[in-house]
C-alpha cells in the first residue's frame, strides 16, 4: 500500500525552530561549562579569594553566544541558495520500500529508508530525521485520509523508526 500526501512545503520558520530545538535538546550539556564557571566565579567572589565580577559575566555572555551561534547557523541554513530546495513544495509517495519525492507528476527522486536515522511524532506532525539539521516534516493535515496517517505510522513502526 502506498501513502500519498498533498503537495506541501516546509516553512523556513518551522525549520529554524525545529532544528534549533532539536540541537539544543541534544547538546545542552555544553551549557554546563559556562554554568560551572559562573558558580566558580561566584564562589571565588563571595569567599573573598578573588573578588571580581568579570568571571560570571563572561561565562553568561559566553553561554548566550553559544546559543546565539547555533540559532544563527540554522537561520543561515534556511537562507542559503543551495538549501532552497529544502523549502520547495513536494508531494510524497511512501511505501515500505522507499519514499518517492515528487516535484510534479513527471519529476521526482527516491529516498531510501536507510537514509532515515529516526522518526518522532510531535503534537501536529511526524519528523523523519536524516541528520543534523536535516529532516522531513509531515504535518498531519498533508495526509489525504485518516487511513493514510495510520498506514504511515505503521510503516514507521515496522521500520523500527518510531517506538511502538
Amino acid at each position: 500500500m502506498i501513502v500519498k500526501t498533498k503537495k506541501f512545503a516546509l516553512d523556513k520558520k518551522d525549520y529554524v525552530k525545529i532544528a534549533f530545538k532539536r540541537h539544543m535538546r541534544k547538546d545542552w550539556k555544553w551549557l554546563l561549562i559556562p554554568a560551572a564557571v559562573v558558580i566558580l566565579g561566584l564562589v571565588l567572589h563571595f569567599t573573598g579569594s578573588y573578588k571580581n565580577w568579570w568571571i560570571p559575566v563572561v561565562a553568561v555572555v559566553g553561554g548566550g553566544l553559544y546559543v546565539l551561534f547555533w540559532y544563527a547557523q540554522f537561520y543561515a541554513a534556511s537562507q542559503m541558495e543551495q538549501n532552497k530546495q529544502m523549502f520547495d513544495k513536494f508531494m510524497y509517495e511512501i511505501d515500505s520500500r522507499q519514499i518517492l519525492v515528487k516535484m510534479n507528476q513527471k519529476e521526482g527522486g527516491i529516498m531510501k529508508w536507510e537514509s532515515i536515522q529516526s522518526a518522532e511524532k510531535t503534537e501536529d506532525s511526524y519528523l523523519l530525521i536524516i541528520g543534523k539539521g536535516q529532516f522531513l516534516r509531515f504535518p498531519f493535515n498533508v495526509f489525504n485520509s485518516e487511513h493514510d496517517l495510520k498506514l504511515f505510522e505503521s510503516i514507521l513502526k515496522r521500520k523500527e523508526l518510531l517506538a511502538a
Side-chain angles (χ1 to χ4, degrees), residues 95-98 113-114 154-162:
D95 62 26
S96 59
R97 296 172 294 137
Q98 65 195 13
W113 281 106
E114 291 79 36
S154 71
I155 291 171
L156 292 177
K157 287 179 180 176
R158 268 188 267 134
K159 297 283 179 187
E160 298 179 353
L161 295 169
L162 193 65

Side-chain angles (χ1 to χ4, degrees), residues 10-110:
L10 175 62
D11 183 52
K12 290 182 179 185
K13 290 179 185 174
D14 288 342
Y15 168 78
V16 173
K17 184 175 80 174
I18 293 167
F20 178 69
K21 188 190 295 186
R22 283 188 45 75
H23 174 76
M24 293 310 292
R25 210 179 323 141
K26 182 176 164 255
D27 284 350
W28 63 271
K29 300 174 273 315
W30 291 104
L31 289 172
L32 292 176
I33 294 170
V37 172
V38 165
I39 292 169
L40 178 67
L42 291 174
V43 167
L44 289 174
H45 178 78
F46 288 115
T47 59
S49 301
Y50 188 69
K51 284 196 171 276
N52 209 325
W53 286 103
W54 72 267
I55 294 174
V57 169
V58 168
V60 169
V61 169
L65 287 175
Y66 171 79
V67 171
L68 185 64
F69 169 80
W70 281 108
Y71 185 83
Q73 291 293 308
F74 293 118
Y75 180 79
S78 72
Q79 305 301 316
M80 292 174 58
E81 187 64 32
Q82 57 261 51
N83 291 343
K84 183 180 173 222
Q85 189 178 15
M86 265 190 345
F87 306 105
D88 286 344
K89 284 190 170 194
F90 296 109
M91 291 180 298
Y92 295 86
E93 292 183 8
I94 303 153
D95 62 26
S96 59
R97 296 172 294 137
Q98 65 195 13
I99 300 171
L100 186 60
V101 182
K102 296 176 84 175
M103 298 157 86
N104 55 44
Q105 291 300 337
K106 295 181 181 177
E107 295 179 275
I110 295 173

Side-chain angles (χ1 to χ4, degrees), residues 97-156:
R97 296 172 294 137
Q98 65 195 13
I99 300 171
L100 186 60
V101 182
K102 296 176 84 175
M103 298 157 86
N104 55 44
Q105 291 300 337
K106 295 181 181 177
E107 295 179 275
I110 295 173
M111 178 177 278
K112 295 288 184 188
W113 281 106
E114 291 79 36
S115 62
I116 307 295
Q117 294 177 354
S118 65
E120 291 180 16
K121 183 177 182 179
T122 65
E123 64 272 353
D124 65 340
S125 65
Y126 289 102
L127 289 178
L128 301 183
I129 311 305
I130 301 166
K132 187 177 204 164
Q134 297 177 323
F135 55 85
L136 296 175
R137 181 175 182 260
F138 293 96
F140 296 153
N141 63 356
V142 301
F143 293 97
N144 293 315
S145 68
E146 189 69 31
H147 178 264
D148 283 350
L149 189 63
K150 289 180 180 176
L151 182 58
F152 181 66
E153 186 168 337
S154 71
I155 291 171
L156 292 177

